[in-house]
Amino acid sequence: MESVDTTFGDSDNNIDAGLDTDFVVDRVLATSYAGHKEIWIAPKKELLLLYLNQYIPETAHKLMMKSLSKQYAVEKGNQTKNGEL
């Protein structure tokens, strides 16, 4: 008996929230035309972190740790309020 793939043609939240197709195509074509061998395509915040990590990794690490510690504190605070701990 053959199984039927019921997810074909469906989308998910990550795909729906992704970059605009026209933007991606424009970047790929411009990079190809310029003869570059590499391209970074991402939303602005993620792309900024990639650039920081590439060119000034110490600063990128500090920013990432600061951001993660704030997120952890918020999650920990919410767990305490909800009596989950």
Side-chain angles (χ1 to χ4, degrees):
M1 180 157 201
E2 222 176 282
S3 66
V4 178
D5 184 7
T6 59
T7 61
F8 181 77
D10 288 345
S11 190
D12 67 11
N13 291 337
N14 291 329
I15 293 172
D16 292 339
L19 294 171
D20 180 47
T21 308
D22 291 334
F23 170 76
V24 174
V25 169
D26 182 56
R27 295 290 83 219
V28 169
L29 291 175
T31 301
S32 177
Y33 181 78
H36 296 293
K37 295 180 180 178
E38 180 179 25
I39 182 173
W40 292 359
I41 302 175
K44 289 181 181 179
K45 287 183 181 180
E46 287 87 350
L47 192 57
L48 174 62
L49 191 55
L50 287 171
Y51 280 123
L52 288 174
N53 192 49
Q54 179 72 24
Y55 298 110
I56 42 177
E58 294 279 327
T59 303
H61 180 73
K62 288 177 185 176
L63 287 173
M64 200 174 344
M65 295 313 293
K66 185 177 180 181
S67 174
L68 289 174
S69 65
K70 285 182 183 178
Q71 181 64 31
Y72 178 76
V74 169
E75 288 176 5
K76 193 77 160 173
N78 289 339
Q79 288 175 354
T80 304
K81 287 179 186 176
N82 295 334
E84 294 176 13
L85 289 178

